[in-house]
């Protein structure tokens, strides 16, 4: 559930890298919930807003696909 939510947040944030995204998750997640763009329970919210930049980057592998960034989730390496 956390991985799917992270993917949604990454997409809504314009695919920010973990280093840029992690510090803003405490503000971004409630804002997305308020706008109705994100619906999550308390446990997932807590896991998401406390996720480190390194974990975000481990979960997502960025690759270039005709000048667009596409994130591929590596579900087997998630340690959330």
């Amino acid at each position: 559930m956390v991985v799917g939510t992270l993917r949604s947040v990454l997409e809504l944030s314009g695919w920010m890298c973990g280093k840029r995204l992690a510090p803003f998750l405490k503000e971004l997640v409630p804002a997305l919930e308020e706008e109705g763009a994100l619906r999550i329970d308390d446990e997932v919210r807590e896991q998401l807003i406390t996720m480190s930049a390194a974990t975000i980057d481990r979960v997502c592998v960025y690759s270039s696909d005709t000048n667009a960034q596409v994130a591929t989730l590596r579900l087997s390496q998630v340690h959330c």
Side-chain angles (χ1 to χ4, degrees):
M1 183 76 173
V2 175
V3 173
T5 304
L6 176 59
R7 188 182 197 301
S8 297
V9 171
L10 284 164
E11 187 174 351
L12 292 166
S13 72
W15 300 106
M16 276 187 190
C17 68
K19 192 174 190 177
R20 292 184 181 202
L21 182 61
F24 298 106
L25 285 174
K26 287 184 182 179
E27 298 171 15
L28 182 61
V29 171
L32 292 173
E33 288 178 301
E34 190 174 307
E35 290 185 16
L38 195 62
R39 292 188 180 150
I40 54 177
D41 61 31
D42 292 339
E43 182 181 345
V44 172
R45 182 183 309 103
E46 184 64 25
Q47 289 176 344
L48 187 60
I49 65 173
T50 59
M51 193 175 288
S52 71
T55 300
I56 293 169
D57 288 339
R58 272 194 305 270
V59 171
C60 296
V61 178
Y62 292 91
S63 62
S64 178
D65 181 20
T66 61
N67 299 326
Q69 280 189 330
V70 178
T72 304
L73 299 177
R74 293 191 296 182
L75 299 175
S76 62
Q77 295 187 2
V78 176
H79 302 288
C80 301

